[in-house]
Amino acid sequence: MPTTNDIVLRPRFKMELKVNNESLLGRFETSKKDQNDFIVTRLDNHVFIKYPKDKQHFWSPQLHLEIDHIDENSSMLHGLFGPNPTVWTMFIFFHFIVASLFIAFGIWAYANWTLQQNFALQISLMTLIVVVWIALYLAGRIGKASSKDDMCALNDFMFGIIHQ
């Protein structure tokens, strides 16, 4: 599983499988009862695999699978690794706030520049906002790196179910 991508914080993958989608979804349903290392939840053709609460930490990943029907003997699996949706929403909200502040300080700086007033404060605040954005990005990368082993365990579990 390649996790060395330089930009993507939530790795995605897609593969065609030579198994009927209902059969594969049934395997994931059965895995709920056969093991207790992961929590497996199914909703229609979506499967969510995550760690139990006692094994979770802030950056714990989860695996979202969508298993679509192609024909009687094959299916398409779409996968997405990501943090808890609450953590991801908070993370995106912080990025939105940082971007909004950057734009607001930019407008303020432009207004002061056109009025021929001092705009050093606004440029300084814009620079600070860029530093905060870089810190947010690095926090996401560190979170991804710290949960790499967890992602590999989820990936191995998924492939164990697929290749039964």
Side-chain angles (χ1 to χ4, degrees):
M1 173 183 73
T3 59
T4 57
N5 194 325
D6 292 334
I7 302 295
V8 176
L9 290 175
R10 294 178 15 158
R12 298 174 186 269
F13 60 92
K14 177 170 88 170
M15 64 182 77
E16 187 172 336
L17 302 170
K18 299 297 179 193
V19 170
N20 182 300
N21 73 323
E22 286 302 322
S23 170
L24 195 54
L25 289 166
R27 291 182 198 172
F28 281 104
E29 280 286 331
T30 304
S31 71
K32 288 182 189 182
K33 303 170 195 93
D34 295 346
Q35 54 81 38
N36 57 4
D37 294 330
F38 300 101
I39 296 172
V40 179
T41 309
R42 177 184 170 195
L43 182 63
D44 295 330
N45 64 335
H46 296 266
V47 176
F48 300 91
I49 306 169
K50 59 185 178 180
Y51 281 91
K53 289 282 185 200
D54 60 332
K55 294 181 182 178
Q56 286 183 5
H57 54 83
F58 185 74
W59 290 107
S60 286
Q62 70 177 26
L63 177 57
H64 171 209
L65 302 173
E66 182 178 355
I67 305 168
D68 295 325
H69 174 80
I70 294 177
D71 60 35
E72 292 302 315
N73 297 322
S74 61
S75 57
M76 181 63 72
L77 180 125
H78 299 271
L80 169 67
F81 286 99
N84 181 318
T86 306
V87 172
W88 185 249
T89 302
M90 178 193 67
F91 196 69
I92 295 302
F93 176 74
F94 287 155
H95 276 278
F96 174 76
I97 293 298
V98 166
S100 298
L101 286 173
F102 183 83
I103 291 169
F105 292 144
I107 292 169
W108 188 18
Y110 177 73
N112 280 1
W113 176 72
T114 57
L115 294 172
Q116 297 177 349
Q117 294 179 354
N118 185 8
F119 55 92
L121 172 67
Q122 292 82 5
I123 297 298
S124 299
L125 289 172
M126 289 175 70
T127 304
L128 177 65
I129 290 297
V130 169
V131 170
V132 169
W133 178 80
I134 291 170
L136 279 172
Y137 177 76
L138 291 175
R141 295 289 297 179
I142 290 168
K144 178 182 168 186
S146 71
S147 61
K148 193 176 205 176
D149 292 338
D150 293 339
M151 287 172 61
C152 288
L154 287 168
N155 192 55
D156 292 344
F157 175 74
M158 175 196 68
F159 276 111
I161 300 295
I162 291 172
H163 295 302
Q164 278 183 351

